[in-house]
Amino acid sequence: MAALIYWRDPKKSGPVFGCILGVLLSLAYFSLISVLAYASLLVLTGTIAFRIHNTIFQAIQKTSDGHPFQNILELDLTLPTEKVHEVADVAVAHLNAAVCELRRLFLVEDFVDSLKFGVLLWCLTYVGSWFNGMTLIIIGVVALFTLPKVYETNKAQIDQNLALVQSKINELTNKVKAAIPFGKKEPKKEE
């Protein structure tokens, strides 16, 4: 996956990026059912045409090479239950962690963290008014295929600027925590 987004082999990254972006742009303008139906029809038309071509070619050459998709038909496509359980366990662990973090933020366990979360939610209201969900997904895919390569190319400058921004954020957070007298976690007293 990393080789795709870092464009190690543009002959592989280009078609993957193009297909994903094409499907997402199609979903932005057409319903999911229409996109799935048209994509499936396109694949079916291609495979039927290829099968007819091979059958005619075999008849002309008087060969019996067999079914052109035989190697694909023989592939085992069943999902191993161990892998499914492993993925489900990881997903449940992430979901539980997210629920605990949201509970902590919404119930104001730490005032500054909840305040930062509130600012993030407020910013998201503006993002939501500017873009719909599909547009954000398209922007995310384009960013996924461009930002890692930009970072890899300009790593030194980006790291330097990010360190500066991080130090300013930490400085501001410390000032806010020092100025707010309530909402701080009390150290637990030992009995």
Side-chain angles (χ1 to χ4, degrees):
M1 181 67 177
L4 284 175
I5 62 175
Y6 281 105
W7 293 79
R8 300 287 186 243
D9 185 4
K11 290 180 181 178
K12 289 182 182 176
S13 295
V16 169
F17 176 63
C19 287
I20 292 172
L21 193 60
V23 167
L24 290 176
L25 287 172
S26 299
L27 287 172
Y29 294 105
F30 304 106
S31 72
L32 176 64
I33 294 171
S34 295
V35 171
L36 288 176
Y38 280 123
S40 299
L41 213 83
L42 182 66
V43 169
L44 182 62
T45 303
T47 55
I48 287 174
F50 186 71
R51 177 78 194 271
I52 290 171
H53 171 267
N54 272 15
T55 304
I56 292 171
F57 192 71
Q58 287 175 4
I60 292 172
Q61 299 236 332
K62 296 186 183 357
T63 62
S64 59
D65 293 338
H67 197 286
F69 300 115
Q70 190 62 39
N71 56 348
I72 298 172
L73 287 170
E74 292 173 353
L75 285 176
D76 182 24
L77 298 178
T78 57
L79 293 173
T81 51
E82 300 84 24
K83 190 68 174 172
V84 172
H85 288 296
E86 181 183 318
V87 170
D89 290 342
V90 170
V92 167
H94 285 297
L95 181 66
N96 287 338
V99 166
C100 289
E101 183 65 15
L102 287 173
R103 178 183 63 192
R104 187 183 78 74
L105 292 170
F106 277 111
L107 298 179
V108 194
E109 184 178 312
D110 182 0
F111 189 77
V112 174
D113 286 347
S114 292
L115 191 63
K116 286 193 273 187
F117 182 60
V119 169
L120 173 70
L121 292 176
W122 179 71
C123 290
L124 286 177
T125 63
Y126 284 102
V127 171
S129 69
W130 296 331
F131 306 106
N132 67 20
M134 187 54 68
T135 304
L136 289 175
I137 292 172
I138 292 169
I139 290 170
V141 167
V142 170
L144 178 69
F145 277 86
T146 55
L147 294 181
K149 188 64 177 176
V150 169
Y151 177 73
E152 183 181 56
T153 307
N154 304 306
K155 188 174 180 6
Q157 298 93 337
I158 293 172
D159 285 345
Q160 180 183 2
N161 289 327
L162 284 177
L164 180 66
V165 168
Q166 185 64 40
S167 69
K168 294 292 183 185
I169 289 173
N170 288 341
E171 183 180 313
L172 182 64
T173 301
N174 290 337
K175 284 182 183 178
V176 169
K177 281 185 178 180
I180 297 176
F182 58 92
K184 296 179 182 175
K185 294 180 187 175
E186 298 290 328
K188 294 186 178 182
K189 296 179 183 177
E190 294 185 29
E191 296 174 14

